[in-house]
Amino acid sequence: MIDLKVVHLNTYDGNGGAGRACLRLSDALKANGIDSKVLVYYKFGQNPKIDTFSKSPLQKAKAVYNILSERYFAKWLSKSVKTPFSLQWFGRSVINHPDVKNADIIHLHWINHGFLNPKFLAQLDELEKPIVWTFHDSNAFTGGCHVRYGCEHFHQQCGHCPILKISDKDDISHKTWLRKQKAYTRLNFHIVAPSQWMAASVKFSSLLGTRKTTVIPNTIETKIFKPYVKSEAKKVLKINPDKFVLMSGFMPSKNDKHKGTPYLVEALEILSRRSGIHKENIELVIFGNKENAEMPEFPFKTTFLGTINKDDHLAKCYSAADAFITPSLEDNLPNTVMESLSCATPVIAFTTGGIPDMVKHLQNGYLAKYQNAEDLANGIEWLYHRPNKEEIQKAARLSILTDFSEEVIAAEHIHLYETLIDLLPK
């Protein structure tokens, strides 16, 4: 293995799935002998392993201005929908930062909210270094949206955007598409898709369909997200060890579209009416919900854990569950699914996005038909009546150790980095 200096660029420090994935990868690389560093645009936490471009009060103020302006104007120009949209009008240059200049590999992650817009992305070409870009959502190859649902306008040049208030062939989404096209023409980079679904989406895009793409999943701390004895984990949460525990993640309201909350509510209502299901024996546990959020009514006893900030405690929460349910309608490679499986808790989810890369139907979980609450209920009932739950739990843990462990994912990234360096002119 050659000596490598890798710098990872992300907008935030662990605030969101991309930030967590970025830091997990950097830690895995360091554990495998790579000089890896994470640089973020705006740092919320105190993690000494993460550095920031915005250190001085003036730099922080400018970053906050860019972030808030980007989000405000996007909200002002968009319809009242839950789909995130980025204008990428604001940004900053990073090419003169010493860690960026000294790196052998520049690895981009989530770079929106006023960080690297197309203009400053194209500047990276001046450094003449291999650039890797992991796509944690779809924004890099659309005219602005991060979650596409059924929209296929990115197959052409966007325009007629269903998210924008003013929508026509030359709308903001099309103008953003053109700015990205101009930047990408200048910049050579290698795409990493964390899921087969994301890789296929890239191939369909008019912006990046011909670019080289490698599928490498995100990783997870398997020594932190590990199985605990379920009966003991339930006692930690003050839940009767004999209860069949269903767990789900944050849901802002019953009307939330992206996370599919209405399907979960409907599936649980269907389940509660089925013969052979004893309502008093089932408990629903939800973590990550916001205070004062408009929460839906559930047909089973429900415990709200709130936001969990300690990963070891979160692992015990996953371990306390007999099933983790995610009704998400579009997700790249959701951390919650990987965390749950790593804690030996089977996952029940829709067949969408990158979830089938992790959940193997009837082996370590259940893949329900897309947007089918009835089948989601079938998945819960299948596990509820399953006599050999321990076998499925063991399969869940083994699937993570085999395909997503730190050693496996670090090795795949190192191989890619070395290949790209070998391609440089000698």
Side-chain angles (χ1 to χ4, degrees):
M1 191 195 326
I2 60 177
D3 291 331
L4 278 178
K5 285 186 177 180
V6 182
V7 64
H8 301 266
L9 306 185
N10 199 69
T11 303
Y12 304 119
D13 54 327
N15 185 27
R20 287 296 303 270
C22 171
L23 183 57
R24 283 170 170 169
L25 172 59
S26 182
D27 286 345
L29 290 169
K30 283 190 282 190
N32 284 270
I34 300 298
D35 183 349
S36 179
K37 186 165 189 177
V38 175
L39 268 171
V40 299
Y41 184 38
Y42 192 86
K43 184 176 176 179
F44 288 94
Q46 304 298 320
N47 191 333
K49 294 186 288 188
I50 301 174
D51 205 350
T52 177
F53 290 100
S54 308
K55 287 187 173 180
S56 71
L58 183 61
Q59 289 171 329
K60 285 184 178 178
K62 180 67 188 308
V64 169
Y65 173 82
N66 278 8
I67 291 166
L68 293 180
S69 297
E70 178 74 28
R71 298 181 71 173
Y72 170 77
F73 281 113
K75 189 173 182 180
W76 183 58
L77 292 165
S78 301
K79 297 174 185 175
S80 181
V81 293
K82 294 283 185 180
T83 307
F85 189 94
S86 288
L87 300 166
Q88 291 181 280
W89 290 350
F90 302 87
R92 66 151 294 165
S93 177
V94 299
I95 60 172
N96 292 317
H97 191 284
D99 286 326
V100 177
K101 293 173 75 172
N102 294 332
D104 299 306
I105 298 281
I106 298 171
H107 194 141
L108 307 176
H109 291 269
W110 200 88
I111 54 169
N112 299 96
H113 285 178
F115 185 22
L116 290 178
N117 63 14
K119 172 187 171 183
F120 293 120
L121 263 177
Q123 266 190 3
L124 293 173
D125 182 67
E126 298 174 23
L127 299 176
E128 298 182 336
K129 298 176 186 290
I131 296 170
V132 174
W133 191 354
T134 296
F135 289 176
H136 296 283
D137 61 29
S138 300
N139 181 263
F141 52 88
T142 72
C145 71
H146 292 260
V147 184
R148 308 184 316 271
Y149 298 116
C151 182
E152 296 182 349
H153 295 183
F154 75 104
H155 291 187
Q156 283 78 44
Q157 299 183 7
C158 284
H160 296 289
C161 181
I163 297 172
L164 297 173
K165 291 177 182 175
I166 301 174
S167 176
D168 56 46
K169 65 181 180 66
D170 293 318
D171 63 17
I172 291 169
S173 72
H174 176 65
K175 289 182 171 67
T176 302
W177 187 97
L178 292 173
R179 288 167 54 230
K180 289 180 178 179
Q181 182 192 44
K182 181 179 178 182
Y184 296 165
T185 301
R186 285 181 55 189
L187 186 65
N188 184 30
F189 56 89
H190 190 99
I191 299 165
V192 168
S195 65
Q196 296 290 344
W197 168 80
M198 180 60 76
S201 300
V202 172
K203 292 302 178 190
F204 279 117
S205 77
S206 55
L207 275 173
L208 296 171
T210 60
R211 292 290 179 109
K212 289 184 178 178
T213 302
T214 301
V215 177
I216 308 178
N218 301 327
T219 189
I220 188 171
E221 306 95 328
T222 54
K223 291 176 183 173
I224 296 175
F225 289 94
K226 61 185 180 181
Y228 291 85
V229 177
K230 288 206 177 291
S231 58
E232 296 301 316
K234 287 175 184 179
K235 288 179 184 177
V236 171
L237 299 186
K238 296 183 173 59
I239 295 173
N240 185 329
D242 295 326
K243 286 282 189 81
F244 184 80
V245 176
L246 303 173
M247 177 172 281
S248 195
F250 164 64
M251 51 195 74
S253 77
K254 186 174 180 178
N255 297 321
D256 172 57
K257 299 296 189 293
H258 175 39
K259 295 300 180 184
T261 306
Y263 293 99
L264 175 61
V265 176
E266 185 182 352
L268 293 175
E269 288 173 348
I270 292 169
L271 183 73
S272 69
R273 296 192 295 267
R274 289 184 175 175
S275 60
I277 297 295
H278 304 288
K279 289 178 63 174
E280 69 281 358
N281 191 42
I282 296 176
E283 185 161 341
L284 176 65
V285 175
I286 295 174
F287 67 84
N289 55 293
K290 291 182 179 177
E291 291 183 14
N292 304 319
E294 179 205 339
M295 298 304 295
E297 293 281 329
F298 294 108
F300 301 102
K301 180 185 176 183
T302 305
T303 300
F304 299 100
L305 300 178
T307 301
I308 301 170
N309 295 315
K310 293 185 177 179
D311 285 345
D312 57 345
H313 181 61
L314 181 56
K316 291 174 185 174
C317 294
Y318 282 118
S319 294
D322 294 282
F324 182 80
I325 312 170
T326 175
S328 180
L329 302 183
E330 181 174 312
D331 247 321
N332 183 9
L333 202 76
N335 286 331
T336 53
V337 171
M338 193 178 295
E339 289 164 358
S340 179
L341 294 173
S342 191
C343 295
T345 296
V347 173
I348 299 164
F350 287 132
T351 307
T352 183
I355 292 175
D357 287 18
M358 297 181 285
V359 179
K360 304 306 175 187
H361 189 53
L362 305 183
Q363 295 177 33
N364 63 358
Y366 188 99
L367 290 172
K369 296 171 186 173
Y370 186 62
Q371 292 185 323
N372 189 321
E374 184 91 27
D375 202 22
L376 206 61
N378 291 344
I380 303 170
E381 187 175 17
W382 165 76
L383 196 57
Y384 180 79
H385 290 303
R386 197 75 185 172
N388 60 337
K389 293 183 179 63
E390 293 79 10
E391 288 183 19
I392 299 163
Q393 292 162 8
K394 288 177 183 176
R397 173 67 173 175
L398 183 61
S399 66
I400 297 301
L401 294 177
T402 303
D403 297 325
F404 304 95
S405 70
E406 301 96 316
E407 294 81 7
V408 169
I409 302 307
E412 291 187 33
H413 278 91
I414 292 167
H415 175 71
L416 174 61
Y417 296 154
E418 291 177 343
T419 301
L420 295 176
I421 286 174
D422 286 343
L423 293 175
L424 290 174
K426 298 295 189 285

